[in-house]
Amino acid sequence: MPEGDTVWNTARVLHRALAGARLTGSDFRVPQLATTDLTGWTVRESASRGKHLLLRLAAPDGAHRTLHSHLRMEGAWRAYAPGERWTARPAHLIRVVLRSPGAVAVGYHLHEVALAPTAEEESLVGQLGPDLLGADWDPAEAVRRLAAHPDATIGEALLDQRNLAGIGNLYKCEVLFLRGISPWTPVRAVPDLAGTVTLAQRLLAANRGRWTQSTTGSLHRGQTSYVYGRRAQPCRRCGTAIRKAELGERVTYWCPVCQPERTRRDDAG
């Protein structure tokens, strides 16, 4: 699942494959860029901001542009050697192809694909809160943004990328379990917001550079999470069955004993 660490890793893969290369061809399979041709453009760098991926390019005339894409739940970029078969996803999910002498980058099921002047990059990602994996990570600003919505549930607030950028459903569930906080707790009732966002940053940073996301310290299959994806399995701390329920537009996993609730929630199945 693409969360901040996955997008960070993806940006590094594309940077290693394309940075400094002059593109020999491009293929955009999205209506808004269908006629765009980046042949002759140079890839300056690949970067991430939360769950957004930014490919910064230089046109032959010296103009700088940023190719933006959002991975959401299903998106992915893959880098292949020239002539290598593209096997990551079905061909009908391909949205962007970028070719260079040494690599081919293929974007699958991408969202919000756009090409904008790099100087105006903030128009693409300026609404995001502090990036947990960014060089400018600012925990105090993240806390301020969370606290500005005191009646929101902490589960929904952590997923709001305008508060802090990079947390997805996995990290939301795991952070709240480790902090002993019910997902339905109002932000105003969370005793230590600073500790919560600091833990989130530490968990994402610990998984940076690897594709297996683990919050438990184990990389073995079935042992990488405390509650996420473990409905009806015993809590690793107390043995109580992990529960799953809807929270906003997403599901959440939690332990009813380690994360006591004030209001009972029915299991979503």
Side-chain angles (χ1 to χ4, degrees), residues 143-154 157 163 184-190 193:
V143 169
R144 186 194 69 79
R145 292 186 180 217
L146 287 168
H149 305 281
D151 295 329
T153 67
I154 187 61
N163 293 329
W184 288 273
T185 302
V187 169
R188 66 177 181 275
V190 175
L193 280 175

Side-chain angles (χ1 to χ4, degrees), residues 3 5 132-133 137-140 142-143 146 154 158 164-168 170-181 190 192-208 210 214-217 226-227 237 259:
E3 303 204 20
D5 55 333
L132 288 110
L133 296 181
W137 163 241
D138 185 347
V143 169
L146 287 168
I154 187 61
L158 288 176
L164 62 171
I167 292 182
L170 183 153
Y171 286 110
K172 175 208 74 178
C173 295
E174 296 293 286
V175 166
L176 294 179
F177 171 78
L178 289 168
R179 296 291 297 176
I181 301 169
V190 175
D192 183 6
L193 280 175
T196 299
V197 301
T198 296
L199 175 60
Q201 195 279 333
R202 281 183 13 223
L203 290 179
L204 265 76
N207 285 311
R208 186 169 48 190
R210 67 186 182 202
S214 174
T215 57
T216 62
Y226 287 100
V227 292
R237 284 182 173 170
Q259 299 164 264

Side-chain angles (χ1 to χ4, degrees), residues 11-12 15 37-38 41 57 104-105 107 117 132 168 227 254 263 269:
R12 272 57 196 174
H15 188 85
D37 183 6
L38 300 183
W41 290 49
L57 311 162
V104 181
L132 288 110
V227 292
W254 84 105
T263 304

Side-chain angles (χ1 to χ4, degrees), residues 21 131 220:
D131 182 355
H220 295 294

Side-chain angles (χ1 to χ4, degrees), residues 105-121:
V106 182
Y108 298 90
H109 216 305
L110 304 177
H111 300 268
E112 302 175 30
V113 180
L115 188 65
T118 299
E120 300 174 14
E121 206 170 88

